[in-house]
Structure formats: structure tokens, C-alpha cells
Amino acid sequence: MTISPESPSTLRPARTGPGATGPWLPRVLATLMALGALLYAAWIAWPWGGPQDVTTYSNVLYLPAIYAGFALSAVALRRAERPLRDVLLPLTVGLGLHALGDTLWAYLEMFTALPPFPSVADVAYLLAYPFLGWALARATLDGLGPWRLRRLGLDTLIVVGAVSVYLWWAAVAQIVGSGGPLLVRLTGLAYPAADLVLLTLVVLAVLHGRRPERHLVWFMLGLAAMIGADLGFLVLNSLGTYHEGHPVDLVFTVAYSLLALGAWQYQVSGHAPDPAAPTRRGPGGLQERLAARATRLAAALPYLAAVAAGILQLWVSAEHEFGAYGVHLGAVLILLLVVARQAVTIQDNAQLTRSLQAFTGELELSRQQLSHQVNHDSLTGLPNRRLFEAQLTQAIGEAALRQGRFALLFIDLDSFKAINDRCGQHAGDDLLRQVAARLQSALGTEDRLARQGGDEFMVLADLAGGRDPVRVAQDLLQALRPPMTVDGQVVRVTASIGVSLYPDHAREAGELRRCADLAMFQAKRSSARGYRLFQADEPDPDQALLTRLEGALARGDLSLHYQPLFDLTDHRVVAVEALMRWTDPELGRVPPDRFIPVLEASPLIGPVGLWALDQALAQLAQWQARGWPGRVAVNICLAQLADPGFSVAVQAALERHGLRGEQLELEITERAVLIDVRQVTEQLLHLREVGVRLALDDFGMGQGTLLYLLDFPAQVIKLDRRITQGAQDSPRERRVAEALTTFIHALNFEVIAEGVETPEQLDLMKTLGVHLVQGFYLARPGPAASVDALLVPAVPEKVRA
């Protein structure tokens, strides 16, 4: 039985220490900024003071809101961590330069008769734009590829160009053609042009796949207000109607305040946006539909802008005024930009085609490697149970045609578990590799050796020419007799071998395996140990286990151990996996892989499964009461899901222990899903409605599972330990792991890697973007009391390392 976790919040905690500021300061600054803007608006609407006081009141009421906004951005910068500071630093510098410009302008107004235009204040204003542009580019464009950046840049120029053509025709041409020093006209035009570029950049970045996060909305509103204020000031100044206390000054105040609020919101969000990260959406939801429409609009917007510019060009084609010449020139430039965009798009598509071809080749290689891995044991390289079953079926067919004979030998190591516990998992793996090599050396070229899992092996031995199956078993035992060295220690390994014969004992693969299993069981129980040829009166070991299991629950022989699952992003235990253990008074400690299959194939799975669920939830409730915010995951089988009352029983157990559905995760193995998950879809959907999380366990070792993922309503995929461990041993297997994790992430599943047993495997999982891991390297399973110490933010030293 299994139990799994809930990831903690990804929001970065507030900064503490010397660089921190209290939560009251930002509120005070935002309040001052709002009050200053409101007071300035009130004075514009209902001015007080005489005409000689207008300049003083205007600046005294205007500047506090500007200073408060700059201070708010500076506080956000002070509280932020990297990479937020990479955006907030240039943004704060830009707002600071803008505040400096306002201060210089106020000085000129108050202490000179008529401030010049342009003035030293305009130098500060214009210097602010590169910093604002850099900040907005980092906030919106980080993570976009080079070709996408080129397209976005050209799209920005096209849209800005089209809008500029219309602005030119509507107002700017008259201003430029009205006379006056060139520097004055160019300076006046620089403001709305720069504002328009920044605003278009943000809007197009959002349309090109960026979700409109709150700080981007503030930025866009602030830049829109600044564009309006700059254009208004430009027109009013050219007409000679601008005066202190004009409403356009209030628009400047609002624009500055919105940008400052955007800076603060960006810091409060606690994370830098990731444009490449997929957004999980409900199927057919409003967000998905809006995103799809925004994507289509983004693709069409440059062309719509070019068409709009062309329409205006046709409209003024017969005119010969100064403004019409600018429209013609702008339309031609926009057309050239569209041609450049098409060229970039063609190059991008060619690059994409090459990338797809490379990916297809890599995927085919990964498919071949995955096919090999599905059919072979990653530890020993031998055929696994799946492939051996096919080989056994083929051998039966061939023997039936030629009336041949062969032997099936079931090999189980006697002392492996003790060696594994004493020397460690790594030594146990080394021992299994040595055993596989020795068994292979004792067999003929026509014989077939496979690892079934754990410490079990199977052999298909050809008996052509009167070969003696007993002799084959003796040769195998003899090969294991010499001592082996693992992890610097000398160990001796013995084995029990059961032998069944085709066609003497059975003519069908499953029955032939059962006969070999029965013979092996008798060989293991024999005091002499060694081999045993099947006899018809052999007792069924599975039935013997089932008989003992029937009273295990009542006797209290069953228990749960828990294995922690770690989140590498903050090195905390975010879940535990509940593992069933059985210690029988007569049989001793029975391995889970021996009794769990027997249990799942019997009617006992119902009551025992509900007992395990109740025990796991009761333990979780205790941990929750102590403040641990994790969740528990319990393994279930298809037989449990086939029970119509299972989902109701799960809901009742959650309510009984005062737990929410999302605090429980139910794991179903990949093999069960392959049988037919559609039979239990209603149960699964009911569990999802209750909030229970569903996970697909042992993923990556079955055939056809990728298609079943489309039907299986899971949120979590657990990579099989053979995927985790094999990726470290072979570059090809690593590519398989990369392809699998990429595929799973693309479907927005949460990925868990199990079986992490070395620091290299842990580092590899980090590289693959898998941050939820469990395995012996991090923590071994144990009783609840042994797990208590880990259910705190601290992490074991070897994990921290």
C-alpha cells in the first residue's frame, strides 16, 4: 500500500533580516500615493489660492504622490530576491529618473519665469525610458527563444508603425509642420513614441502566450495613461494652451502611480514569470477559449496593422500635403517590415522542421530503447518477465510442432534478503548482477535466462538429445557455489530451484509456471535446499499463504510502514507512502512481493484494503494535528475499484478522520490500467469529485500506456524505479527518461521519481525537472514513529548535501 504528498506553496516567503522592511511601510506609501493623487485631483477640480500661487500649489501637491510611488518601487526592490531584482532594479531607476525630472521641472517653474523646452528635466525624463524598457523586457520576454523574439520585435515595430501613421495623420504632422525649433519638435515626439513602443511590447508579449498577470496589467494601464498624458501635453504645448494645474498633469500622476503599483505587485507575486511554463486549464474553460483567441489575434495583429496602414495610404493617396507624405513613407516601411517578418517566419519554420526531424529521430531511438527497456531488466540486462512470457509461449508452440521437450526452472535465491539488508541496496544490486552472470555461464546457447524481479530468475532449458533437466539444475547450483565479493565483503549465495517439464507436467504457459513455482516452494521448505522436480501432489504455496492471510488481520500481524517523499525545491517531506508489511507467527516476515499478489487476487483485498486505508488516514490525521501539511497516498488495485461501494467507502473514511479529499492520493499500477481502466471510470471520476488525487504508479514499463493516459483521470505519474536507475547507467536510457518526463510534463501531470538510491540519481532527477523524489538514498520505509522526525521543514544531512 502507498501514500503520497502535497507540494508546499511555491511562493517565496517574505524576506527577513537587515534587508527586510515591515509590511506596514508599503501600505503607508501606497496610501500616501493615493491620497496625494486624490488631493491633486481635488485641487484641479476646485482650485484654491490666488493666480500667483498656482505654480506652488501645483508642484507641492503633485510631487508627494510621485515621491511615494518611487519609494514604493524602492521598497519592492529592497524586499525582492533574485531574479526579481533583475526587473525591479532598472524599473526603480527609471521611476527615480522620472521623479528627478519632475523635481527639476518644478524647480524651473518655481524659480524661473518661463521654463525652457526642452530643459534639463527632459534629459532625466528621456533617460528613464531605456531603464523602463529594459525592466519590461525582462518581465515579459525572458524565456522566449531567439526566433520568437525576432518575430515579437518585428510585430512590435509593425503595430507601432501602423499606430504611428494614424497619429501622424491625426495630430503629429500638424505639430511638426507648425514650425519651431527642430529640437523642440523632436523632443516632444520622443515621449509618446517611446511610450507606445513600451506599451506595444507588453501587449504583444501577453498575446504571444503570456498570461496577463496582475503586475503586467498595472504596467499596461500605466503606460497607456502615460501615452495619453504625453500626447496631451504635446498638443497643448504646441497650441500654447498648457498651464500649471491642467488635468493632463493628473494623468501623469496616475500613470506614475500605476507603474509603481506594478513594481510592488511584481515583488508581492514572489516569482519571476516563466513564459515557457504551461498553464493548466480546464478543458473547454473560459481561460482556454480566451487564450486561444488571444493566440489567433497575436498571429493576425501585425497583418491587420499593415492593412490598416494601407487603407489610410489609399485614403490620402490623392493628397500632396506634408502629412500625406509621412503616411506614404510609413506605409512603405510597414510593408518592408511585414516582408522581413515573413522571412523570419520562413526561417523559423525551417528551424522548427529541422528540430522536429531531429526530435523524431531522437524519439525513434528512444522508442527503440524504451522497447528494449520494457522487455529487459535494467539491472542485469536479462529478459524480464514480460519478454520471458513471450519466449515461453513461443517455446510451447515450437515444441508442439516438433513434439519436443523442454524444462522450465524457477530459481529463487535463499539468502539474498539478509545480504541486501546487511550490505545495502547497492551491494544487493551488484550481487544480482554477479548471480545473473554465473547462471548465464552455466547454460547452453539454446537456453534462455530471465530475471522475474527481486531475487527470482527463470530458465528455459532445451532438452533435445536426451538432456537431463536435473543436471541443468545441478549445474546452476554449482555455478553459484563459489563465494562472491560485494562491497568488499565475501558472501555465499544458495538458491532453491523448482523444475517443471513440457509436456510431462503441463502444456500451457501459466500452468507450467505454476508447477515450477510449486516445485521451488517445496525445494525451499526442504531442509536440504537445492532443486525439486515437480510432482502432482505438491501443495499450492499461494493457497498456503492465503490460509495464513485469512487470520492475519484479526491477529494483528499486518502493519504499515511509511516511506517519505521529498520535494527538492525546498527539501521538505511533503508526503509519505504507506507500505503494507506482514509478519506471520509461523512464516516469519513475508516479503510484500510474495503476499501482495496473492492478497490482490483473493476476496481478502476488500477488507484488508479498507483497513490499510483507514490506518493510513488515522496516522495522517495525527500528523496533521501536529502541524504537518502533507498528504498520504495509498496503493489500490483494479479489484478494489471494481467494487461499486469503494469510492463511497473512501469518502466515508476521509470524513471519519476529518480530512479533505486532496490530502489523500490513491495510486493504481500501470499494469492495472492496461487491463481496462474504462471499467472503473465512474469510480475514478467520483473520487476526483471528492477531491482525491489519483496517481499512475510504476509508469514507463508497460506497453501502450501513453494512449491510456488520455483516458486515465490522474494528476500524478510515478516513474518506475527502473526508469530512474537505468537513466544513470546508460546514455540511451537517459534519453528515454528525458523523453518520458518531457511527455508527462507536456500533459501537465505531476511527476514523481521513485527508487532514487544514489546522489547521482538525485542530481539527474533535478536535471530532468523532476522535483518530487523518494528512495533509499533519501529515507528508507519504517514505522510511523521512525518517520516523525522527518515531518518538519528540516531535511536529512545527505539530502541537504
Side-chain angles (χ1 to χ4, degrees), residues 249-261:
D249 293 333
L250 178 62
V251 182
F252 277 116
T253 306
V254 171
Y256 195 92
S257 301
L258 291 173
L259 290 174
L261 288 174

Side-chain angles (χ1 to χ4, degrees), residues 23 31 35 44 63 70 75 79 195 200 279 299 307 347 368 383 405 409 455 457 570 593 601 605 633 654 718:
T31 302
L35 289 176
I44 290 177
L63 289 176
F70 168 67
V75 169
R79 289 172 60 93
D195 292 334
T200 307
T279 302
V307 170
Q347 290 293 324
Q368 295 174 3
R405 297 175 70 246
L409 294 88
D455 59 349
F457 296 85
D570 54 15
D593 58 356
I605 188 59
L654 287 167
K718 292 189 73 174

Side-chain angles (χ1 to χ4, degrees), residues 68 97 120 173 251 261 414 683:
L97 287 170
V120 66
V251 182
L261 288 174
D414 297 324
Q683 289 267 41

Side-chain angles (χ1 to χ4, degrees), residues 77-367:
L77 172 64
R78 183 174 176 79
R79 289 172 60 93
E81 303 283 353
R82 279 190 174 275
L84 304 183
R85 296 177 66 87
D86 294 340
V87 173
L88 292 175
L89 178 59
L91 183 62
T92 303
V93 172
L95 293 178
L97 287 170
H98 205 287
L100 175 62
D102 286 330
T103 303
L104 293 173
W105 179 258
Y107 175 83
L108 292 173
E109 279 193 321
M110 296 175 66
F111 297 102
T112 63
L114 183 63
F117 182 79
S119 67
V120 66
D122 294 290
V123 176
Y125 290 141
L126 293 175
L127 283 177
Y129 280 99
F131 291 97
L132 294 176
W134 176 252
L136 294 176
R138 290 299 302 269
T140 58
L141 305 182
D142 273 1
L144 297 179
W147 289 104
R148 193 173 181 186
L149 282 174
R150 292 187 184 100
R151 286 203 312 273
L152 183 58
L154 289 171
D155 288 349
T156 302
L157 292 175
I158 292 171
V159 174
V160 169
V163 175
S164 299
V165 164
Y166 275 85
L167 288 177
W168 172 271
W169 177 251
V172 176
Q174 289 83 348
I175 296 173
V176 174
S178 63
L182 178 61
L183 182 60
V184 172
R185 289 178 285 172
L186 291 178
T187 303
L189 290 173
Y191 289 105
D195 292 334
L196 187 60
V197 169
L198 296 181
L199 177 64
T200 307
L201 185 67
V202 175
V203 172
L204 285 181
V206 171
L207 291 179
H208 277 67
R210 288 302 320 282
R211 187 175 58 184
E213 300 176 47
R214 191 172 300 176
H215 63 271
L216 290 180
V217 175
W218 289 119
F219 290 156
M220 286 188 290
L221 292 176
L223 290 171
M226 192 170 288
I227 288 175
D230 283 334
L231 283 174
F233 178 80
L234 179 63
V235 173
L236 292 171
N237 198 54
S238 65
L239 298 177
T241 57
Y242 172 78
H243 60 82
E244 281 301 318
H246 195 281
V248 73
D249 293 333
L250 178 62
V251 182
F252 277 116
T253 306
V254 171
Y256 195 92
S257 301
L258 291 173
L259 290 174
L261 288 174
W264 176 249
Q265 182 61 47
Y266 184 71
Q267 187 273 328
V268 169
S269 68
H271 66 282
D274 180 8
T279 302
R280 191 177 184 118
R281 305 181 179 96
L286 177 62
Q287 186 179 7
E288 185 178 40
R289 293 196 298 272
L290 290 176
R293 292 175 183 174
T295 301
R296 290 193 293 270
L297 176 61
L301 190 58
Y303 302 101
L304 293 175
V307 170
I311 292 173
L312 180 60
Q313 185 183 26
L314 292 175
W315 181 267
V316 301
S317 59
E319 300 183 14
H320 300 285
E321 299 177 358
F322 175 69
Y325 293 133
V327 171
H328 295 317
L329 178 60
V332 170
L333 292 176
I334 291 172
L335 179 61
L336 293 176
L337 288 172
V338 171
V339 172
R341 187 189 189 279
Q342 287 301 106
V344 169
T345 301
I346 292 173
Q347 290 293 324
D348 191 11
N349 290 338
Q351 179 67 28
L352 179 60
T353 301
R354 289 191 294 270
S355 299
L356 286 175
Q357 290 173 344
F359 179 74
T360 302
E362 196 70 21
L363 193 60
E364 175 61 21
L365 184 62
S366 298
R367 187 197 66 79

